[in-house]
Amino acid sequence: MTNPPLVLGIESSCDETGVAIVRGTELLSNEVASSVEAHARFGGVVPEVASRAHLEALVPTLTRAVATAGVALTDIDAVAVTAGPGLMGALVVGVSAAKMLAATLGKPLYGVNHLVGHVAVDILEHGSLPSPSLALLVSGGHTSLLLVHDITARIVTLGSTIDDAAGEAYDKVARVLGLPYPGGPVIDALAQDANPTAIHFPRGLTARHDLEQHRFDFSFSGLKTAVARWVELEQRAGRDIPVADVCASFQEAVADVLTAKTVAAATEYEVADVVLGGGVAANSRLRALLAERCAVAGLRLRYPSPELCTDNGAMIAVLGAAMLAAGLAPSAITLGADTALPAEIPLVA
Ligand code: KG4
Ligand code: ZN
């Protein structure tokens, strides 16, 4: 029996330079170099800083990925790369490197969608996705409910955020509370031993009149403002801010809305399988509450290990491998980066 194909995946859409190698759906290496510390003092990703960091990190990360996998570059059967969405200057570093590698090795190039990669990465740990599956994609830049018929070719967006993404709300609330960037992991940790019912924060787009127009859409900007206002009023009154309780209460509001809408969409579209993906999918409360509500609704739930939720090359490599396995035509060598690539386009021609 011949070995499944070896696929190299490159991710550089935001502040993580990721390079991974898979053999079919088996992960051989997954190297990530993060420039997060360079952005921390700015409270968010600075595009120019990210681009430069990708340029510096790409070759060393690639070298490590190849060494860890114990393969030679010439053994690679295909090269997959994030073609979008993301920051232009960051994306072009990965896309250029992937084009150069594919051209020199004489191997096919697959320019794939970062958002779809966040969903596809679960295949590495839990096997192929049942069709259809409902994906809740929650990251720093996106929050969407996707009906996934075929991860390589047919995805329908049922709803998405109309303002901030869930991860963005975490990062902004962290800033209000004087916590470091990125806020997600810090808030998650602080919330562990705190009271999620201490303060009632609003659940965006859940009122009856909002549900008519935005049944499966999300809004986190009002929640972020509500937290900021609450903190400001307490400070003005000269009271100490119960940071951990604010974290837990904010987190509860986010997890409540995300999980309620996911279960409602799965029920309405009669989808029995739910998959969680994206950086915020690492959140412990979101995972626990979604598991609880899916169980009550009779839905099967799957999610990747926390380290595979945040940006990495494995999600791109496994999606590329799926494209190859599906016999899809590779991308043109003139492939460009698309900063606003919609989730409906898993593969860029
Ligand atoms: O998917 P990702 O790595 O990058 C994007 O594609 O945006 O997501 C990054 C986001 C950040 O906003 C970060 O605060 C959030 O994911 N995040 C978390 C957790 N870990 C990362 N949010 C909540 N809880 C976490 N444990
Ligand atoms: Zn991401």
Side-chain angles (χ1 to χ4, degrees):
M1 213 186 86
T2 55
N3 271 331
L6 263 191
V7 180
L8 176 97
I10 301 178
E11 152 64 31
S12 74
S13 67
C14 191
D15 57 351
E16 262 90 37
T17 315
V19 183
I21 296 173
V22 299
R23 188 183 291 287
T25 58
E26 187 198 346
L27 185 59
L28 302 187
S29 66
N30 186 28
E31 295 293 327
V32 180
S34 177
S35 63
V36 68
E37 273 160 28
H39 309 288
R41 68 192 173 99
F42 301 105
V45 176
V46 184
E48 278 75 18
V49 174
S51 309
R52 176 172 291 268
H54 284 304
L55 266 179
E56 285 166 3
L58 207 130
V59 172
T61 311
L62 172 67
T63 309
R64 281 205 309 277
V66 172
T68 310
V71 299
L73 259 186
T74 45
D75 296 335
I76 301 293
D77 296 300
V79 179
V81 64
T82 300
L87 302 167
M88 181 50 88
L91 287 166
V92 294
V93 176
V95 169
S96 311
K99 282 158 80 165
M100 191 272 287
L101 274 172
T104 3
L105 298 170
K107 292 294 153 64
L109 170 73
Y110 288 93
V112 302
N113 190 309
H114 178 87
L115 307 177
V116 181
H118 272 305
V119 179
V121 75
D122 194 61
I123 295 171
L124 289 171
E125 294 177 308
H126 303 115
S128 60
L129 279 178
S131 174
S133 287
L134 179 75
L136 170 63
L137 169 77
V138 271
S139 72
H142 294 82
T143 300
S144 301
L145 275 169
L146 307 171
L147 191 54
V148 181
H149 295 282
D150 174 350
I151 194 84
T152 66
R154 213 175 135 225
I155 295 171
V156 179
T157 301
L158 302 181
S160 39
T161 181
I162 61 166
D163 41 57
D164 292 352
E168 200 176 347
Y170 267 94
D171 297 337
K172 288 177 175 171
V173 164
R175 207 168 172 173
V176 164
L177 295 172
L179 301 171
Y181 172 86
V186 188
I187 291 180
D188 193 353
L190 282 170
Q192 293 299 325
D193 305 312
N195 178 9
T197 59
I199 309 146
H200 185 84
F201 288 125
R203 272 67 170 158
L205 298 184
T206 54
R208 186 172 296 179
H209 63 274
D210 286 327
L211 284 175
E212 280 166 22
Q213 222 200 326
H214 293 291
R215 196 155 162 61
F216 301 126
D217 289 330
F218 303 96
S219 165
F220 295 105
S221 142
L223 169 61
K224 166 203 68 191
T225 310
V227 175
R229 192 173 302 142
W230 190 90
V231 168
E232 198 191 319
L233 288 175
E234 290 295 297
Q235 278 167 340
R236 252 196 244 157
R239 284 190 284 268
D240 286 341
I241 304 300
V243 174
D245 281 349
V246 176
C247 288
S249 303
F250 157 76
Q251 176 158 282
E252 198 60 22
V254 175
D256 185 17
V257 180
L258 288 173
T259 53
K261 293 211 177 199
T262 302
V263 170
T267 310
E268 182 162 325
Y269 285 86
E270 296 178 0
V271 180
D273 291 270
V274 176
V275 55
L276 184 57
V280 183
N283 186 261
S284 61
R285 182 58 185 150
L286 176 59
R287 291 160 88 99
L289 190 58
L290 191 54
E292 214 174 273
R293 290 184 171 173
C294 280
V296 170
L299 304 167
R300 281 180 295 266
L301 172 66
R302 42 192 282 171
Y303 42 69
S305 301
E307 61 275 16
L308 289 180
C309 290
T310 43
D311 292 350
N312 61 78
M315 59 194 243
I316 303 308
V318 73
L319 183 54
M323 301 293 177
L324 196 65
L328 296 176
S331 307
I333 201 69
T334 51
L335 174 74
D338 182 346
T339 58
L341 188 65
E344 273 82 4
I345 305 176
L347 173 63
V348 177

